[in-house]
Amino acid sequence: VQPSLLHGDLWSGNIGSADGEPSVFDPAVYWGHDEAEWGMSWCASLGAGFWQGYRELIPEDPGFYEREPLYLAYHYMNHYNLFGGGYLSSARQELEKVARNLDKRGA
């Protein structure tokens, strides 16, 4: 895995324009696997065209769908920490998927 500089809070509320050019702002920047940006895809309100363009620039790595629940769980837990509510059950469901994926690998 080659580390990438990630936005860290990629959703439609942090995308706009400046002088007629696309702009992404309010980052929670960190270095990590580019796949981590997909952890907000459930609430990002970014259209299919955005994610298709993302994949044109950064192709999907093998095994992404096995790792995706971990990235989703991170953001569900963060949302539960910030806002409470049903995010905890969503985080738990994603972590259970992670556990099943690890069990399949004998980990």
Side-chain angles (χ1 to χ4, degrees):
V1 173
Q2 180 178 351
S4 298
L5 186 60
L6 304 176
H7 182 276
D9 192 17
L10 194 56
W11 68 289
S12 62
N14 290 341
I15 295 176
S17 64
D19 298 324
E21 297 294 322
S23 176
V24 179
F25 49 86
D26 191 25
V29 176
Y30 65 98
W31 288 96
H33 195 284
D34 61 82
E35 294 176 345
E37 295 286 26
W38 289 76
M40 290 281 289
S41 62
W42 59 274
C43 69
S45 299
L46 300 170
F50 174 88
W51 295 109
Q52 182 181 2
Y54 188 99
R55 282 297 185 217
E56 287 173 8
L57 294 172
I58 304 172
E60 182 180 300
D61 287 336
F64 166 69
Y65 290 103
E66 290 179 3
R67 295 181 297 275
E68 184 183 31
L70 184 60
Y71 302 125
L72 295 170
Y74 170 82
H75 286 286
Y76 279 125
M77 288 186 293
N78 186 44
H79 276 68
Y80 175 72
N81 182 51
L82 294 170
F83 310 115
Y87 297 111
L88 182 60
S89 63
S90 297
R92 183 176 289 125
Q93 289 173 7
E94 297 302 327
L95 290 171
E96 288 170 355
K97 290 177 191 175
V98 171
R100 284 193 299 274
N101 289 339
L102 289 172
D103 287 344
K104 286 180 197 174
R105 291 176 167 266

